[in-house]
Amino acid sequence: PPEQVLGEEVDARSDLFAAGVVLYECLTGRLPIEASTVVALIAKRLKEEPAAPTVINPEVPVALSTLVMRLMARDPSARVQRAADLVAELQALG
């Protein structure tokens, strides 16, 4: 997560960011940000937003795509705050 790269405090929301990355890859077949080196990857992640899963795979429901993008928000306060909240949101998607 961006906060870890920047040397800031990490918490459970950092793990939820990672969950978002895994979900993104499951839904699209690729990583949200790709680069040839680790340094380039970090720079891109701090500056660029990945394409929404629905852009890459139109079969992904919009609500699920939106949730994945929230999980990967740069700002931890914009993410789902607790794992239990993520479970509830996923269950609500049906």
Side-chain angles (χ1 to χ4, degrees), residues 1-10 46:
E3 62 271 19
Q4 187 173 16
V5 170
L6 296 170
E8 297 172 355
E9 184 177 332
V10 296
L46 294 175

Side-chain angles (χ1 to χ4, degrees), residues 39-79:
V39 173
L41 178 67
I42 291 168
K44 285 178 85 172
R45 184 58 189 121
L46 294 175
K47 293 180 183 178
E48 298 177 15
E49 288 296 326
T54 53
V55 171
I56 298 163
N57 180 359
E59 294 182 21
V60 175
V62 172
L64 180 56
S65 179
T66 300
L67 175 57
V68 169
M69 295 304 287
R70 276 185 41 228
L71 287 166
M72 296 189 307
R74 278 192 205 122
D75 180 358
S77 67
R79 295 180 201 145

Side-chain angles (χ1 to χ4, degrees), residues 17-33:
F17 178 93
V21 171
V22 171
L23 284 170
Y24 189 100
E25 190 172 6
C26 290
L27 295 169
T28 66
R30 64 181 231 195
L31 292 170
I33 300 285

